[in-house]
Amino acid sequence: MNNSTLDLAKALISRHSLTPDDAGCQEILIERLKNIGFKVEKMHFGGVDNFWARRGSSAPLVCFAGHTDVVPTGPVDKWDSEPFTPTLRDGMLFGRGAADMKTSLAAFITAIEAFVAEHPNHAGSIALLITSDEEGVAVDGTVKVVETLKERNELMDYCIVGEPSCVSRLGDTIKNGRRGSLSGKLTVKGIQGHIAYPHLARNPIHLAAPAITELAATQWDQGNEYFPPTTWQISNMHGGTGVTNVIPGTVEIMFNFRFSTASTVDGLKNKVHAILDQHGLDYDLAWELSGKPFLTPRGDLVDAIGSAIREVTGMETELSTSGGTSDGRFIADICTQLVEFGPLNATIHKLNECVAVADIEPLSEIYQRTLVRLLA
C-alpha cells in the first residue's frame, strides 16, 4: 500500500498546533504545493496563520478547505499514548487531530499531487484555503480570507471542506449544508421588592413565563427536503439575588435558534419581538448571528464526490445537514457549491482521537477522483 498520505498525516499530528497556533503545519503543506506549481499567498490576521494557494487562473475553481489547529488534549494521562506522538495501534492512527482534521489535510495534498501528475494541463483551477483559527474564536481565520477573496472578486465554483463527516463507515455521509445559529440575550424588566409585599413589586419571571411558553411552542417553519424544522431553545436563565425573600428586578434569558434555509434571520427576529410585544413585556434583546445556513442541492459537486465514493468504497452515500457550524458557513458566501467530506467523526475532540489506517488512502483517492470528474 502507498503510505504517502499516512506519512503526511503523522507529520502533521506530531505538530502541537493547539488553536490558534499552527506550529509549522502550514509550512509542510506549502512546500508540497509549491513543488507542483501552486502560487501560495500567506495571510496573517491578528496572530493567526492562514494561506490561500492556487494552481491555474481559469474557471471552474475547485477549492479544498480546512484547518491545522486542534482542540486541547484534555488530561494527557488519560490518553493511551501521547496525543502529539502519532501512534499506530490495532489498525488505527491515534493522535490529536487525527480525525479533525489532519488526515483530511494530508489526503488533500496527496490527492492533488496524484491528479496533477496525471493531468498536468488540467482544465480550470485548484485552490486550498487553510486556517489555524477554526477550533477557537474563528474571527481571524477563514472569515478574513473569504473577505479578502471577495473584495478582489475571486470566487469559487466548488469547495470541499475536510471536516469529519462520516458516521459508521468511510463514505456513508456527505454534509451538503448546515443550519444557521442565531442567539439572543433577553432581559425582561420588573420591579424588585419584598416577597411579602408582591403588590409593591413586579416579578419579571412571572411576567416572562407566558411568552416563554409561546416561544417554546411556536413552529418556526416546516423545514424542507434537506433540513429539519427550525428549533428554539433556552440555554441559560438567571434571575434573583440568591435569597428567598426578594422578588427580582430582572430576569436574563439566553436562547438559540438552529435554523434552516426555510427561515430568514430577519423573519425569526421579527417573530420573537412580536411575541414579546404581544405579552406587553418591558425588555431588552441583544442578538448575535454566528452563522447563516447554507445548502448545496444535488448537482455537479454532490454527483462528482458521490460517484467517487461509490467507486472507491462501493457505498451509496447519504446527504446530511446535521451537526453544528463549520467554516463552510463563511466560504458559502463566495462559493456556488460546497460540501463537507472527511473521515469518521466518532472520536473527534475526545481522548484517544483516531482514524482507521485502512481509510486514509481511500480518502485521498476519493478526493482525487472528484477532481477528475470536475476538472479532467
Side-chain angles (χ1 to χ4, degrees):
M1 183 180 70
N2 179 0
N3 288 319
S4 61
T5 309
L6 172 61
D7 291 341
L8 181 52
K10 290 167 66 177
L12 295 173
I13 292 169
S14 68
R15 301 283 178 153
H16 293 235
S17 57
L18 291 174
T19 189
D21 186 8
D22 169 67
C25 291
Q26 293 181 21
E27 286 301 328
I28 296 174
L29 306 179
I30 288 170
E31 181 180 0
R32 300 274 289 253
L33 293 169
K34 285 183 175 179
N35 288 339
I36 54 172
F38 275 78
K39 178 183 177 181
V40 179
E41 183 178 358
K42 297 180 181 180
M43 297 185 179
H44 193 76
F45 302 106
V48 171
D49 291 320
N50 312 281
F51 76 81
W52 170 250
R54 180 164 179 165
R55 187 182 197 273
S57 58
S58 60
L61 171 58
V62 180
C63 177
F64 293 91
H67 60 89
T68 54
D69 59 319
V70 298
V71 297
T73 62
V76 174
D77 61 347
K78 299 296 184 181
W79 285 68
D80 293 334
S81 52
E82 209 283 328
F84 291 104
T85 299
T87 303
L88 298 176
R89 186 172 64 252
D90 300 325
M92 309 297 288
L93 170 63
F94 289 86
R96 176 55 87 221
D100 189 12
M101 54 179 289
K102 291 182 175 181
T103 296
S104 293
L105 297 177
F108 286 169
I109 299 299
T110 58
I112 294 168
E113 289 172 337
F115 174 78
V116 169
E118 293 181 4
H119 306 277
N121 300 311
H122 61 80
S125 305
I126 308 172
L128 287 94
L129 192 170
I130 306 298
T131 183
S132 62
D133 184 32
E134 196 273 349
E135 297 289 12
V137 293
V139 297
D140 290 311
T142 299
V143 63
K144 290 289 182 65
V145 177
V146 167
E147 288 172 359
T148 302
L149 296 175
K150 189 174 183 179
E151 287 173 0
R152 61 197 196 198
N153 201 33
E154 195 166 357
L155 309 179
M156 306 174 193
D157 297 283
Y158 311 110
C159 182
I160 299 172
V161 184
E163 289 291 342
S165 62
C166 298
V167 179
S168 300
R169 290 179 56 192
L170 179 68
D172 64 10
T173 307
I174 297 171
K175 302 282 189 180
N176 68 319
R178 295 274 191 165
R179 293 175 295 176
S181 178
L182 175 65
S183 297
K185 183 177 179 180
L186 171 66
T187 302
V188 178
K189 304 173 186 178
I191 298 175
Q192 183 174 314
H194 196 291
I195 209 88
Y197 301 94
H199 59 289
L200 300 178
R202 296 180 70 237
N203 193 318
I205 299 175
H206 296 182
L207 296 171
I212 292 172
T213 299
E214 184 171 349
L215 288 166
T218 296
Q219 188 168 45
W220 305 93
D221 59 45
Q222 301 290 327
N224 55 37
E225 177 186 358
Y226 299 101
F227 287 101
T230 292
T231 61
W232 179 87
Q233 291 290 326
I234 290 176
S235 57
N236 290 273
M237 188 169 180
H238 177 75
T241 62
V243 297
T244 60
N245 61 349
V246 178
I247 294 171
T250 61
V251 61
E252 181 180 281
I253 302 163
M254 299 176 69
F255 62 83
N256 177 266
F257 282 105
R258 290 301 165 107
F259 66 105
S260 74
T261 52
S263 286
T264 66
V265 173
D266 287 342
L268 294 173
K269 287 182 178 180
N270 291 339
K271 200 165 185 178
V272 170
H273 282 287
I275 291 172
L276 297 175
D277 292 342
Q278 173 190 332
H279 287 272
L281 299 180
D282 182 10
Y283 67 91
D284 294 324
L285 178 51
W287 293 97
E288 180 182 0
L289 176 66
S290 56
K292 295 180 181 178
F294 66 89
L295 175 66
T296 297
R298 297 181 187 277
D300 293 343
L301 180 57
V302 170
D303 290 346
I305 195 166
S307 295
I309 290 169
R310 188 181 312 114
E311 290 180 1
V312 175
T313 70
M315 296 188 62
E316 291 293 337
T317 192
E318 294 186 2
L319 301 180
S320 172
T321 59
S322 64
T325 58
S326 75
D327 274 1
R329 69 192 190 274
F330 306 126
I331 301 170
D333 196 37
I334 60 168
C335 183
T336 305
Q337 299 180 46
L338 181 148
V339 298
E340 299 174 14
F341 179 72
L344 272 64
N345 57 25
T347 64
I348 60 175
H349 295 203
K350 292 184 177 181
L351 302 175
N352 295 314
E353 180 180 352
C354 60
V355 293
V357 174
D359 289 346
I360 294 176
E361 290 301 334
L363 178 62
S364 176
E365 188 175 353
I366 290 168
Y367 291 149
Q368 179 188 350
R369 288 177 182 243
T370 303
L371 282 172
V372 170
R373 279 167 173 73
L374 296 174
L375 297 182

